[in-house]
Amino acid sequence: MPIFVGGATFKVAIVGPWNCDPLFYNAQPELAARLAVSRINKDPYLNQGYWYDYIVLSEDCQTSRALSTFVNLESYAAGYVGPINPGYCTAAGLMGKNWNKPVVSWACINMDLEEGGYPTFLRPLPLASKVLFSVLKYFRWAHAAIVTSDQDVWVETGHELASSLRRLGLPVSVVVTMETDQRGAEDALKRIKRAHKVRVIIMCMHSVLLGGQEQKILLEKAEELRMADGTYVFIPFDTMYYSLPYKKTPFPVLANSTKLQQAYDAVLTISIESKSKSFYEAFQEAKDSYEIRSALQPTQVSPLFGTIYNSIYFLAMAVERSRRNNRWVTGTSVSQNTRNIEFEGFNQPLWSNRHGELLANYVVLDSDGSSGFLRATHTVDMANGMLKYMGNSIHFPQGSSPGTDSGCWFDSSTICTGDYWMISGDRLSLLSVDDLQIAGRRLGDRPSRDAWKDQEVAYTSSRPRGGNRPGSAEDHGREAMRFKPIGTRGHCQGAHQASESPGNIHFRHTWEDGGRAFRGCPECFQVQEQHFRHTFCRKNIIEHLEHVRVNIKGAAFLQYES
């Protein structure tokens, strides 16, 4: 069914945790929507078909309640900007499909939403995990850990980010949720410190530069624990959702705290580049022209304001393109008309490529550890995922930077070698459990979210002790894993230890040009045509890595040690 049958008004719902999270509220969604709709209705290109209106709808900060609210929003609007909580993005995408209405969200970082099962979903910014991947690839920092605040929206963000980065091939070793106090920050950091070869700590929480207390506590505790001495790089995640002002812009929160200032020297901030004018300058211009009627000063408003504005404008551009190309405007037709769009965002130009992916340039910001200012060191061109040096070197604490990882982590055609055995073709190759986590990406698809959504993922990097057979490792802790390869003749190497499975199992795998059929151990795999499923075999615990395309010879399964 079309969105419009008789009316000529397109109403946009802006959905977010506006009433339960004061820092999200500081984005002033009401002002942002009013300004965007006002300019759209005056735009001679966009006002030919529909008159635009808006409604601001607040979702609960608890994921389950937010979902229950969204379920009942069908009659409120013709299109939706949101949700901000990625925990129910998949459900929101399915509801948008069912309603045949566009759903536009920058916070939905589940890569599955770009596939055909969600035909009304639109992303108004480049996928944040891909932006992050480009930066990590440039510096060759593959091993990452994620720490989140204890709010549902950030906990869900952390887990979705981990899943997305793993799908891109990076070994995210641990996702930790910290309690909002000194002890909680210390516990989280110590768990990360125990993790395997971590170079980067990604912080999923409100930025301290915009008032995030959790990040302030975390960074100051990192300084106390000497984890901000160049051993690790800390990267705020939320700043990739907006354009953070930095040119000639002091941050009092840094200037007023020596400890935080020193800790922030270990932070690299990635944000949307603003080009000619900053967010604060653009907001002040709108105030001076009376387009925004508010007593608020620009520094009192979160730059997320601009992202809300841009999302509404992007939706309007796609709606108008759909109206001109189709008889009816539907959610599906809107998502199909996002190619080669160009428009001036709130304070930066935005454009989409021939695939309909909206693009923007990003900037990497650094501090010098002795002032309240940030400076740009690199730009990130998301049209090609390349970084460009801007002439300012990164100032690492004490001149010490984290180590680097092999470039193979960023090459989808190779599998990095490590300390465990895996069959590749007709020979054995060494792989660590890190490698197994990202094998899904190497083989063509990602592990299931449930398999890796675990705040306490831990794995061993030690070599098997003397006398162990290839493919096994003695107990290195409760969460150690045992990897058992499959021989080139089709034999499972070593006996199963899970109570559900028999002892030694003989099986074979075959390849056929047409159907590429695969037959293996049914107790440990479920197979459909080109896909196979990794299964963790353990009493009462079975976790799956689903739908992994096979494009190398051989297969294997993981088994948790008792």
Side-chain angles (χ1 to χ4, degrees):
M1 290 294 292
I3 294 175
F4 302 108
V5 178
T9 298
F10 191 104
K11 180 176 283 189
V12 182
I14 297 86
V15 184
W18 317 121
N19 291 342
C20 61
D21 189 318
L23 293 183
F24 278 123
Y25 176 78
N26 286 345
Q28 300 297 321
E30 180 83 25
L31 291 179
R34 186 185 306 160
L35 177 64
V37 165
S38 174
R39 289 181 176 178
I40 289 169
N41 287 333
K42 295 175 184 176
D43 190 315
Y45 175 79
L46 296 176
N47 64 8
Q48 297 299 307
Y50 304 109
W51 181 264
Y52 287 83
D53 197 3
Y54 71 91
I55 181 173
V56 176
L57 300 172
S58 184
E59 65 183 8
D60 197 278
C61 281
Q62 185 176 326
T63 303
S64 57
R65 292 179 180 175
L67 173 58
S68 66
T69 298
F70 195 90
V71 168
N72 297 311
L73 297 184
E74 179 180 5
S75 62
Y76 281 80
Y80 304 86
V81 171
I84 287 180
N85 186 333
Y88 71 94
C89 281
T90 300
L94 290 174
M95 282 182 278
K97 174 183 177 181
N98 185 54
W99 302 337
N100 205 0
K101 296 181 178 182
V103 175
V104 184
S105 176
W106 60 87
C108 293
I109 53 178
N110 184 344
M111 297 175 72
D112 287 340
L113 292 169
E114 298 175 342
E115 299 177 357
Y118 307 88
T120 68
F121 177 78
L122 293 84
R123 202 182 298 282
L125 282 176
L127 184 65
S129 57
K130 289 185 177 180
V131 179
L132 184 57
F133 179 87
S134 297
V135 174
L136 298 180
K137 179 180 180 180
Y138 180 85
F139 293 105
R140 285 180 53 185
W141 297 328
H143 290 78
I146 296 173
V147 57
T148 81
S149 66
D150 58 3
Q151 297 168 290
D152 272 16
V153 61
W154 294 118
V155 173
E156 298 288 355
T157 298
H159 287 298
E160 289 293 349
L161 176 61
S163 177
S164 187
L165 289 176
R166 286 165 181 156
R167 183 169 180 175
L168 290 169
L170 300 187
V172 181
S173 59
V174 64
V175 179
V176 183
T177 296
M178 63 167 274
E179 297 180 7
T180 312
D181 55 29
Q182 295 287 336
R183 180 62 180 272
E186 182 174 351
D187 290 345
L189 288 169
K190 286 183 175 179
R191 287 184 58 194
I192 291 173
K193 200 171 184 178
R194 292 193 299 267
H196 181 63
K197 293 196 304 184
V198 171
R199 316 286 190 196
V200 175
I201 299 174
I202 305 165
M203 301 177 289
C204 293
M205 56 190 70
H206 289 296
S207 171
V208 64
L209 302 180
L210 300 182
Q213 287 302 303
E214 297 91 347
Q215 195 172 106
K216 181 176 186 293
I217 293 171
L218 181 72
L219 290 173
E220 289 180 344
K221 182 56 67 174
E223 178 68 17
E224 290 180 15
L225 297 175
R226 298 183 180 180
M227 292 179 67
D229 61 356
T231 306
Y232 304 95
V233 169
F234 292 78
I235 297 180
F237 184 71
D238 72 312
T239 55
M240 283 183 273
Y241 287 159
Y242 50 78
S243 176
L244 181 72
Y246 68 93
K247 297 175 182 176
K248 300 179 181 179
T249 302
F251 292 96
V253 68
L254 297 181
N256 296 337
S257 171
T258 302
K259 182 186 289 187
L260 181 61
Q261 188 178 100
Q262 292 173 345
Y264 214 84
D265 196 19
V267 176
L268 285 183
T269 304
I270 307 168
S271 192
I272 303 172
E273 178 61 292
S274 57
K275 292 296 182 182
S276 59
K277 55 188 174 183
S278 71
F279 167 76
Y280 292 154
E281 291 170 336
F283 191 90
Q284 187 61 51
E285 285 182 8
K287 282 190 66 177
D288 293 342
S289 63
Y290 299 103
E291 290 181 288
I292 294 178
R293 298 179 182 272
S294 172
L296 291 170
Q297 295 303 310
T299 53
Q300 295 177 287
V301 181
S302 167
L304 194 63
F305 175 105
T307 305
I308 298 170
Y309 172 98
N310 293 341
S311 298
I312 298 172
Y313 223 97
F314 175 55
L315 176 58
M317 294 287 290
V319 168
E320 179 60 22
R321 180 80 66 84
S322 176
R323 187 193 69 83
R324 296 186 181 206
N325 294 337
N326 300 276
R327 180 179 179 182
W328 298 110
V329 175
T330 66
T332 302
S333 69
V334 169
S335 68
Q336 292 172 347
N337 283 275
T338 59
R339 298 178 182 85
N340 302 317
I341 287 178
E342 294 184 19
F343 68 99
E344 188 65 30
F346 185 69
N347 63 298
Q348 68 278 111
L350 298 169
W351 67 98
S352 62
N353 58 21
R354 60 188 180 89
H355 303 295
E357 300 169 336
L358 196 67
L359 301 175
N361 289 327
Y362 286 74
V363 63
V364 178
L365 305 174
D366 184 35
S367 70
D368 59 8
S370 60
S371 71
F373 291 87
L374 300 180
R375 58 178 185 169
T377 63
H378 299 77
T379 56
V380 187
D381 184 352
M382 286 310 297
N384 54 28
M386 302 296 291
L387 270 68
K388 180 181 179 181
Y389 178 59
M390 297 185 67
N392 296 319
S393 299
I394 293 176
H395 183 273
F396 290 104
Q398 304 176 15
S400 175
S401 63
T404 58
D405 295 305
S406 171
C408 66
W409 287 108
F410 306 97
D411 183 355
S412 62
S413 64
T414 62
I415 301 179
C416 287
T417 59
D419 300 325
Y420 288 89
W421 294 94
M422 182 176 179
I423 294 297
S424 177
D426 57 355
R427 64 187 179 86
L428 288 173
S429 297
L430 288 172
L431 286 181
S432 70
V433 179
D434 303 7
D435 306 320
L436 299 177
Q437 282 189 264
I438 55 83
R441 200 269 299 204
R442 308 303 186 197
L443 300 179
D445 209 334
R446 72 174 182 88
S448 70
R449 179 182 179 217
D450 290 340
W452 300 111
K453 185 178 179 181
D454 175 11
Q455 293 187 25
E456 298 184 357
V457 172
Y459 49 88
T460 178
S461 62
S462 303
R463 279 183 167 79
R465 297 165 186 165
N468 292 348
R469 64 183 182 278
S472 71
E474 293 302 324
D475 188 7
H476 293 282
R478 184 173 59 86
E479 297 297 335
M481 296 179 182
R482 171 170 295 175
F483 175 61
K484 296 184 178 180
I486 292 170
T488 55
R489 295 174 181 263
H491 296 276
C492 292
Q493 306 296 310
H496 289 278
Q497 301 298 320
S499 60
E500 292 88 347
S501 302
N504 294 325
I505 296 177
H506 179 86
F507 71 98
R508 60 198 176 112
H509 56 264
T510 61
W511 298 87
E512 298 173 6
D513 292 338
R516 270 192 124 177
F518 177 86
R519 292 193 291 273
C521 300
E523 291 80 8
C524 293
F525 293 88
Q526 292 187 17
V527 184
Q528 287 184 342
E529 298 177 348
Q530 300 181 48
H531 303 79
F532 70 89
R533 172 181 297 171
H534 280 303
T535 302
F536 286 96
C537 301
R538 184 183 184 185
K539 188 174 182 180
N540 300 326
I541 300 177
I542 299 178
E543 296 180 45
H544 303 286
L545 300 181
E546 299 184 26
H547 306 303
V548 182
R549 284 194 198 92
V550 179
N551 57 23
I552 65 172
K553 296 180 181 180
F557 70 91
L558 289 172
Q559 180 178 321
Y560 275 106
E561 287 283 6
S562 299

